[in-house]
Amino acid sequence: MALIPEPMFALPSLLTDKSKATANIRKMAAKMPSLSMFRPHFKTHQSEETGQWFKEAGIEKITVSSPQMAAAFIHQGWHDITIAFPLSIHWVPFINAYAAKVSLNIIVEDVDVLKSIISGIKVSCGVFIKIDVGTNRTGICVKNKSYLDTLVQLLEKAPRLQFKGFLAHAGHTYHAKNPQSIEQIYFASFEALCLLKTKYMAAFSDIIISYGDTPSCSIIPKLTHFDEYRPGNFVYYDLMQYHLGSCHFEDIAVCVQSPVVAKHLSRNEIVLHGGAIHLSKEYIKIDVQKIYGELVSLNPDNTWVRFPERAYITSLSQEHAVSKVPTVILNQIKPGDILGIIPVHSCLTVHQMLNLY
Amino acid sequence: MALIPEPMFALPSLLTDKSKATANIRKMAAKMPSLSMFRPHFKTHQSEETGQWFKEAGIEKITVSSPQMAAAFIHQGWHDITIAFPLSIHWVPFINAYAAKVSLNIIVEDVDVLKSIISGIKVSCGVFIKIDVGTNRTGICVKNKSYLDTLVQLLEKAPRLQFKGFLAHAGHTYHAKNPQSIEQIYFASFEALCLLKTKYMAAFSDIIISYGDTPSCSIIPKLTHFDEYRPGNFVYYDLMQYHLGSCHFEDIAVCVQSPVVAKHLSRNEIVLHGGAIHLSKEYIKIDVQKIYGELVSLNPDNTWVRFPERAYITSLSQEHAVSKVPTVILNQIKPGDILGIIPVHSCLTVHQMLNLY
């Protein structure tokens, strides 16, 4: 709805820590032998300013997850973009409009969709075939050789589509139990995509294998295996990544500023203005408890520090967050105070906070 | 971020069914002896158009959950508004700006906050004391008699604040196991608020008791107990309300139009463009499975019909929805088709879809 746009009267708002985010960018970039291998996913931040931090670090190629996001970053001066979401046949007019202006890559996984694209495309465009490395969401399983052959043969005969290679997202690393499982997923994915590259590179010498997900790109010390890496979340990280072992708590570069609106001593609870519409209902489980965020103390310069003891958001409704707070912290807090909430999943929280009103 | 605002190329979009929504409004209004008892919560729809449907049904008083939402509806011509969220001391300038123009009610539950409001308020404003009837979120427990006395005494001495009565939201009905439990919560809440009204009405003859939540207001046949009812969700309903027994499936008046982008015969799954940023990650459990929405077939006039067999959204990421689909439905669906997704929690889905870009 057309709400009053400007943040007013200490409403929940998004804080980012530039020094942490730029350190995260530099650290990830330094893991790759060449910056040209780095195509960060911009869906996490969706921000012109944060995009600029990537530009200043020398990054020129980006990943997005929707045509609108591609359009927005094209308007902000980015000119080499992969839309890492299965191309819908309804987007062909978009591709015709934008691929003429910038270098655009799309991903396909369905023979009939690819045929529709081939018949509708009027401009030159890069195409990756999406491979499912075990996430069971989108993509073709490497074992499905004849289907992959059919896709490649269609691409070979499509003069406007350049076959760029194979692209995978190992989303199942987000559910891994420990860093060792993440490593296993990374190397199994590498093996699978390597076999594909080897098979098809005789006919297509320039094809690459492109891979991305923050847990593996954070945990693997040197990113020297795939030809391209597309992590996104790492720029801000979040509570989920911290608990997966992808980052230190101090690397988390995003936080929701949230006013305390009530205090209930009998239950050791405070209620904050910061609900599902701000944080999203993404949760992690710590022991058996659902956790929607962790409270931090805010500094006057909009940085934050962790409390000596943990204080988690334990339930969320549309506008409310309820936090069970250790007594030592509870005694320092009163309604009207403004605290920070470290989100469970920064991509969702940032999207919601940027598009709140 | 500043994304291209207009829906383009069959992106996920929100559909509402006016005839169902207006029937839901009429049905709820008809349960009350007088329309003046009805103060529907507008956080569910946040829409000028849907607001107009309420206006046409004779409703003049509304509830909102934030100062920005109050400001937006004031700009749309509403002039009797309760902000049903504990007033933050940071909002006092907002109250001073808007309570001078319209009839505004706020809610309080904290003695120190109320003292701050009293010292900062410059205009006339209505005040409800928030009562916790068992949700354990915000509000004062009725047993906390001395605290309630203190709040009432402060209000009595505050010339600009008019003590309006006691307000409760029985949010725990959303977790009830069956309609009988919802009825029990309703009548227990009524008894608790009745006692308070009886106690304080000798000194404050005009105080009322105000209650709201869609499950109880839907399940109780005649709403003749409280002085005011504030349900919100009922205008659209959703999958959660249907499974709670608050409505029929055919009463649900909102749906997310969502293009199919992939089909995986080996898993009986389709992938749709419609993720956590569209639907929210709110889920219900059916048997032991988390469900994020139910697929429906769309008609050319943007209405929808239920499939003969159930097809649920079983996992959600930022932009993707995965649905396990019965074979008979799967055979009719191909990528590029556009289906509807009935959301689990319409308030969150509608908020996100209205504020998507």
Side-chain angles (χ1 to χ4, degrees), chain A residues 310-329:
Chain A
R310 303 291 78 81
Y312 295 120
I313 305 298
T314 45
S315 90
L316 270 192
S317 35
Q318 186 160 347
E319 302 265 358
H320 305 72
V322 178
S323 178
K324 187 77 86 178
V325 180
T327 312
V328 60
I329 304 175

Side-chain angles (χ1 to χ4, degrees), chain A residues 72-311:
Chain A
F73 284 113
I74 289 167
H75 286 295
Q76 290 170 20
W78 295 90
H79 44 72
D80 192 339
I81 299 179
T82 296
I83 306 176
F85 187 85
L87 192 87
S88 159
I89 55 167
H90 306 286
W91 295 359
V92 175
F94 173 87
I95 303 300
N96 284 331
Y98 282 94
K101 298 179 194 170
V102 298
S103 178
L104 209 57
N105 300 313
I106 57 174
I107 68 172
V108 297
E109 64 162 270
D110 186 278
V111 164
D112 291 328
V113 171
L114 181 53
K115 285 179 181 168
S116 293
I117 295 167
I118 290 171
S119 75
I121 199 91
K122 296 186 171 65
V123 294
S124 175
C125 180
V127 180
F128 283 94
I129 294 174
K130 178 73 190 284
I131 301 299
D132 183 2
V133 288
T135 303
N136 286 352
R137 190 176 65 181
T138 56
I140 305 304
C141 176
V142 286
K143 290 181 187 158
N144 206 341
K145 291 178 184 176
S146 66
Y147 202 87
L148 287 168
D149 278 341
T150 309
L151 286 167
V152 172
Q153 284 156 16
L154 280 168
L155 285 171
E156 192 166 15
K157 285 182 264 171
R160 295 202 178 84
L161 299 180
Q162 290 121 44
F163 177 36
K164 289 289 184 95
F166 300 95
L167 180 147
H169 171 71
H172 46 319
T173 58
Y174 280 70
H175 309 290
K177 299 281 179 231
N178 51 52
Q180 291 72 36
S181 310
I182 293 171
E183 268 186 44
Q184 281 166 12
I185 292 170
Y186 177 88
F187 286 109
S189 303
F190 178 59
E191 196 182 320
L193 268 72
C194 246
L195 284 172
L196 282 180
K197 185 181 171 183
T198 310
K199 176 177 175 184
Y200 290 102
M201 75 185 302
F204 303 90
S205 59
D206 294 335
I207 55 170
I208 67 166
I209 49 177
S210 174
Y211 181 81
D213 71 277
T214 282
S216 20
C217 292
S218 300
I219 281 165
I220 302 295
K222 289 279 170 199
L223 298 174
T224 55
H225 308 88
F226 293 92
D227 301 311
E228 181 176 91
Y229 289 93
R230 308 182 325 278
N233 178 286
F234 74 95
V235 64
Y236 294 150
Y237 285 122
D238 52 33
L239 211 55
M240 190 190 290
Q241 294 302 320
Y242 167 63
H243 284 276
L244 273 172
S246 304
C247 65
H248 300 289
F249 191 85
E250 294 67 32
D251 299 330
I252 302 172
V254 71
C255 172
V256 174
Q257 175 182 289
S258 183
V260 177
V261 294
K263 179 173 172 173
H264 294 276
L265 286 169
S266 63
R267 302 194 295 269
N268 268 38
E269 282 179 358
I270 58 169
V271 182
L272 299 106
H273 190 191
I277 63 165
H278 308 98
L279 294 166
S280 96
K281 289 210 79 164
E282 190 89 85
Y283 66 85
I284 50 172
K285 277 197 172 171
I286 297 182
D287 301 326
V288 294
Q289 176 71 57
K290 283 184 189 173
I291 301 298
Y292 298 91
E294 181 178 333
L295 288 185
V296 289
S297 171
L298 292 179
N299 298 321
D301 66 351
N302 278 345
T303 60
W304 52 87
V305 286
R306 206 171 191 188
F307 283 113
E309 293 184 53
R310 303 291 78 81

